[in-house]
Amino acid sequence: MNKFCVIGEKLPHTMSPQIHEMFFQSVGEKGEYGVREFSRDEIVKARAQLLEYDGVNVTVPYKQTVMPLLDEISEEARLIGAVNTIKNVNGRLIGYNTDPYGFSAMLIKNGIDVKGKRAVVLGSGGAAKSVIYALEKAGAEVVYVRREEDELLKGHEYMSYGQLEEGAGGYLLVNTTPLGMFPHEEGCAASEKVFSRFEAAADVVYNPVMTTFVRRALAAGIRAFSGLYMLVAQGIGSQSIWREEEIQTKDIDPIYNLLLRDYFERNGGNIYLIGMMSCGKSTLGKMLARELGREFVDADEYIEKSAGMSIPQMFERGEDFFRERETRAMLELSGRKGLVVAAGGGAVTRAVNCDAMRSSGIVVYVDRRVENIIKDVDRSNRPLLAAGADRLYAIYRERKSLYENCAHFIIDNNGSAEQGLAAIREVL
């Protein structure tokens, strides 16, 4: 049985063992993955301990410290100046860096294309180097933000935090600083006003999933996500190196979804039910909330109460008028914990709503066939269904992929409500 571990200075909350144990289960193999802490004095003399393992993951603050202990360093890790993966090949220690792959996979997962666009990276440490490398490889125009005392990255354009606050902007804003990381979750490297000058924001911090950085970005109405997907992806990248095989991207999503499910179970995350109108979200949501002892919120009712008018009245002012209030409601609900929320059928048409849900809880797509919905739906209070059943089929075709991409899990709800509830129980 192969033996692996993650090394660092203090690792009480590391998720790496969970990720790799899930991977072993997914491929049907046995493997041992542990945690090894070293003091700063110990790490510089730790080569003998590293040789005890077939492979090692390295986390902050030792991604550069371990490099003199290695026999060989990959070109990518050498260019970045940091190692996060070590492979033991017959007593020779070879260093790699899978962080660029992890970050790139996270951008792809969230539909962020940086080619030819300006990306601003907060920080200049080891994480920043990996992110800058990935962004430049993807064709982005990169500027990093540094404090005067921070490391100067040669060959890269930079600005001060003062310049960022004064008006700098771009397409993507990336946080590579530790600000906002558990247990100091209130920290953030950028003020609220900065986010409105960007179209998307990515945080490499993964605990908490909803960082202050992500919350401020969502409040500004832009795409936002934190670094948990990157963590899983770089872990799968390490496995590909140890196993000498191509990275299997299909292995990332199932592990990410399960890891996220366990995280929100421990931390009081919400449960969001999405899907077509009259697919059974509210019925199942009420049943689930009752069973779990949680508060149930029907998002459409929440919006009506907040706006002081009915949904048909809001639609009389235009669909955008309603969607703005829907987004405001989803952001408010994402700031609460322990809810079961039945989202509106069209909530997924705005990516920022999906980001808010996915950053604050588990999203379950309640899939029901259109012909079954038609039997149940009351079109009298559904502004989008004035054209009849044909419109319902068209909406389903337009939104099906949006539901699937937004959801962590998908359940079939074409039987009884009890069967639908059992399906939700199974994925949760």
Side-chain angles (χ1 to χ4, degrees), residues 51-71:
L51 285 167
E52 296 173 9
Y53 298 91
D54 297 289
V56 176
N57 285 131
V58 187
T59 189
V60 291
Y62 296 146
K63 292 186 179 184
Q64 294 170 302
T65 311
V66 299
M67 293 177 76
L69 305 178
L70 309 181
D71 298 293

Side-chain angles (χ1 to χ4, degrees), residues 342-370:
V348 296
T349 60
R350 286 195 171 188
V352 67
N353 296 339
C354 290
D355 290 343
M357 289 188 282
R358 290 173 62 85
S359 295
S360 60
I362 290 300
V363 184
V364 180
Y365 170 27
V366 179
D367 190 14
R368 188 171 179 82
R369 288 192 292 271
V370 175

Side-chain angles (χ1 to χ4, degrees), residues 286-297:
K286 290 174 184 176
M287 294 168 68
L288 182 65
R290 202 160 42 240
E291 186 172 286
L292 298 178
R294 291 184 175 216
E295 180 184 351
F296 171 74
V297 177

Side-chain angles (χ1 to χ4, degrees), residues 117-122 131 135 141-145 159 164 168-175 194 198 202 213:
K117 300 173 185 175
R118 181 180 171 92
V120 176
V121 177
L122 307 178
V131 166
L135 288 169
E141 173 197 334
V142 184
V143 181
Y144 73 97
V145 185
M159 71 175 77
L164 174 69
Y171 172 68
L172 177 67
L173 181 67
V174 186
N175 175 52
V194 170
F198 292 85
F213 181 88

